[in-house]
Amino acid sequence: MLKKTSMAALGVVASSFLSLFVSCNRSPETTVRQRGELVVAMDAEMPGYFVLGGENYGYQYDLFKAYADYLGVRLRIVDGDRRGGRMAPEQDAADIVTTLATRVYDDRAGEAVPIYNSSYVLLGSRTKAAEARKAQNFDLIPFLKGNRLLVSSGLQGTPLYESLLDSLSGSNIYVSSRNSFDMMELIRSGKYDFLICEMSEAQLGSALVRGVEQVYTFDEPLAMSAVISSQEQREDFKAWLSHFRGSEEYAMLNDLYFERGIVGRVMGQGLTAKNAGGISSYDDLFRDMCEKEGYDWRLISAIAYSESRFNPYVVSRKGAKGLMQVMPRVARQFGVQGDLMDPENNVLLALKVLGKIEKSLDFAPGTSSADRMKIVLACYNAGLGHVLDARSLARKYGADPDSWSDVSTYLSLKSDPEVVKDDAVKCGRFNSSQTLAFVNKVFSKYTTYCNNISR
């Protein structure tokens, strides 16, 4: 069972592996997938990546996590290698290096893939932000003069930084290598008056650090690139990125970090709760409902994180709604009344679905908790039919229908037109990449929660 009586052992499951460094110049098939991990070098001073509470966050981190999920491998972040204000990939250390587009070596320009555009914003205390709003014919430079301006060391060398040095004579500009959130605390405390940081970090930070508000958005574009030496890896990434930009996950990623600023409200709540020993602002709800239904609330939290980033207002293009991304037709099927955006309704429905899936799978006695969980998660994401097909294929060809390793192998084979002709297949062709990534993501997050959060 996936229920808490059978999942206790998973609390001690830890993902451990030897850190391997290999050449970028080998193909993704013989390095990244075979090695089982994607190594990405990110400079902590670069925009869109930050570590908070021991966990990685940021737009570019989530982007490469999605790529690693697509490849079916782990993502490992290593420190970026900065040289002379520019960055280049260490051929024996990383598969990909991310950096500002302006910092790519000229002789590496052909290896750079544009990944996203953002902008810098100015943050200030609530009082300073109010002064800016009240100012008639607001003019930034006169407004900043005489104030203490804090900037990240990552801003150095950019045209914006050079312009500020010229306009403000450098007398009140302070450069710091701290992360954006530590710097926001300095703004809140009054040690400095203003901070310049990247937009997505500003949105999240403004939610985490009370009393800090956005004052101004700079016109200068901020472009990030991925430098990839291996041509095969580069073409693979470009093809994936082109496809990913049309996906629901990409739309949600941009929605969270840029468009509606949900990341500030939702992730901010979750991180604040985590600092107090929890996971998200919905911990009590998950605990109460999972206790009644017999599930580990940390598993449900891991699903909610993967499906919506704890945002109860997300609606996918297919119509899935809320924290657990459930479909309205499923709610009708289970007789769940009311608004699916309501977290309690949403979680209740998800628990009912998980319970029905698990019961219908009829696992053999002795099936491991991890295998049960992964097969149920695959059904939750892909639907029961495709996973039943994979189990039927496994059973027919002498594999174990209760082993996730075997089931996932046959689930992958369902993209092959020849395999679909097999009489064991009832639900047609299926591309399993998204489902396999979902299972890996949820299981990894659940393991992290079990290792760090008590029941």
Side-chain angles (χ1 to χ4, degrees):
M1 302 262 309
L2 281 178
K3 301 189 177 181
K4 56 187 179 184
T5 55
S6 64
M7 300 186 71
L10 284 175
V12 297
V13 174
S15 122
S16 62
F17 53 91
L18 180 64
S19 297
L20 300 175
F21 291 87
V22 299
S23 170
C24 294
N25 290 321
R26 286 179 283 173
S27 74
E29 287 298 329
T30 57
T31 59
V32 175
R33 285 193 173 97
Q34 193 173 70
R35 201 181 342 131
E37 72 174 5
L38 175 71
V39 182
V40 178
M42 293 186 185
D43 191 325
E45 297 175 357
M46 291 294 101
Y49 169 62
F50 43 91
V51 179
L52 192 61
E55 291 202 33
N56 296 305
Y57 292 97
Y59 183 88
Q60 65 168 309
Y61 171 79
D62 281 346
L63 184 71
F64 285 103
K65 183 64 173 67
Y67 180 49
D69 289 343
Y70 155 76
L71 293 172
V73 301
R74 295 178 293 266
L75 173 63
R76 182 161 63 89
I77 304 300
V78 297
D79 290 339
D81 174 39
R82 297 186 63 203
R83 301 174 179 175
R86 294 176 182 269
M87 293 180 67
E90 280 287 336
Q91 292 190 358
D92 61 346
D95 302 299
I96 299 174
V97 171
T98 66
T99 183
L100 293 172
T102 55
R103 292 186 175 177
V104 178
Y105 283 124
D106 290 341
D107 60 354
R108 298 278 188 176
E111 300 171 359
V113 180
I115 51 176
Y116 80 99
N117 296 313
S118 183
S119 58
Y120 290 108
V121 298
L122 181 73
L123 298 179
S125 67
R126 190 166 293 162
T127 300
K128 291 292 184 181
E131 289 178 10
R133 286 193 294 269
K134 291 178 182 177
Q136 294 183 350
N137 301 318
F138 177 78
D139 192 343
L140 178 65
I141 297 304
F143 185 74
L144 289 178
K145 283 186 175 178
N147 288 291
R148 295 158 297 179
L149 177 62
L150 188 62
V151 301
S152 166
S153 55
L155 192 71
Q156 290 180 294
T158 66
L160 173 59
Y161 182 73
E162 299 299 327
S163 174
L164 290 170
L165 286 178
D166 292 340
S167 302
L168 299 174
S169 302
S171 59
N172 61 347
I173 299 179
Y174 303 86
V175 179
S176 173
S177 60
R178 299 188 186 198
N179 69 50
S180 295
F181 307 103
D182 288 342
M183 290 191 283
M184 289 177 202
E185 286 287 357
L186 297 176
I187 301 299
R188 184 193 61 77
S189 68
K191 186 171 182 179
Y192 297 93
D193 299 304
F194 295 102
L195 166 67
I196 296 177
C197 65
E198 186 263 345
M199 181 179 288
S200 67
E201 294 178 6
Q203 289 192 13
L204 176 56
S206 295
L208 289 172
V209 183
R210 294 184 178 181
V212 176
E213 298 180 7
Q214 186 170 322
V215 177
Y216 183 84
T217 301
F218 292 92
D219 292 331
E220 178 182 327
L222 187 162
M224 298 297 298
S225 291
V227 181
I228 309 173
S229 293
S230 163
Q231 182 177 356
E232 187 171 353
Q233 182 81 65
R234 186 165 62 252
E235 293 305 316
D236 181 79
F237 176 72
K238 286 167 67 176
W240 169 82
L241 185 59
S242 176
H243 176 76
F244 182 66
R245 283 175 172 152
S247 70
E248 294 176 7
E249 188 175 358
Y250 180 77
M252 191 176 84
L253 190 65
N254 282 277
D255 193 45
L256 286 171
Y257 282 104
F258 295 109
E259 294 178 11
R260 288 190 289 176
I262 293 173
V263 67
R265 182 172 71 252
V266 179
M267 282 186 67
Q269 292 175 349
L271 289 167
T272 301
K274 187 176 187 302
N275 290 339
I279 294 172
S280 78
S281 58
Y282 297 101
D283 286 0
D284 289 341
L285 172 66
F286 289 143
R287 279 193 178 100
D288 290 345
M289 299 194 72
C290 289
E291 185 174 1
K292 295 173 185 176
E293 299 294 329
Y295 282 89
D296 188 332
W297 71 277
R298 296 168 298 184
L299 170 63
I300 306 307
S301 294
I303 296 173
Y305 174 90
S306 299
E307 292 281 30
S308 69
R309 284 297 184 92
F310 303 114
N311 174 14
Y313 305 108
V314 167
V315 180
S316 78
R317 292 175 184 174
K318 293 181 179 179
K321 294 183 177 183
L323 285 173
M324 309 295 289
Q325 287 293 278
V326 293
M327 297 293 289
R329 59 179 172 78
V330 178
R332 292 191 295 270
Q333 178 185 348
F334 281 87
V336 175
Q337 304 295 321
D339 184 5
L340 279 184
M341 297 300 197
D342 176 75
E344 187 169 345
N345 276 339
N346 198 274
V347 175
L348 174 62
L349 178 56
L351 291 173
K352 286 181 177 291
V353 171
L354 287 169
K356 182 176 180 180
I357 289 171
E358 187 177 2
K359 185 177 180 180
S360 68
L361 290 172
D362 192 25
F363 289 111
T367 301
S368 75
S369 295
D371 283 325
R372 288 173 179 266
M373 179 185 354
K374 291 177 180 180
I375 293 172
V376 169
L377 288 172
C379 293
Y380 186 84
N381 181 263
L384 193 61
H386 292 299
V387 180
L388 290 179
D389 280 354
R391 297 183 82 205
S392 294
L393 286 166
R395 190 178 292 110
K396 180 176 179 178
Y397 293 102
D400 184 355
D402 293 328
S403 161
W404 171 243
S405 176
D406 290 347
V407 171
S408 61
T409 296
Y410 282 99
L411 196 61
S412 299
L413 290 174
K414 283 198 66 187
S415 63
D416 186 334
E418 292 303 314
V419 173
V420 174
K421 295 176 183 177
D422 195 295
D423 58 11
V425 175
K426 308 299 183 185
C427 294
R429 194 172 178 181
F430 180 66
N431 184 340
S432 66
S433 59
Q434 183 178 358
T435 296
L436 298 180
F438 173 80
V439 172
N440 289 337
K441 185 189 299 184
V442 173
F443 186 77
S444 175
K445 184 58 67 174
Y446 173 66
T447 301
T448 298
Y449 289 160
C450 286
N451 289 336
N452 294 283
I453 306 294
S454 65
R455 286 183 181 274

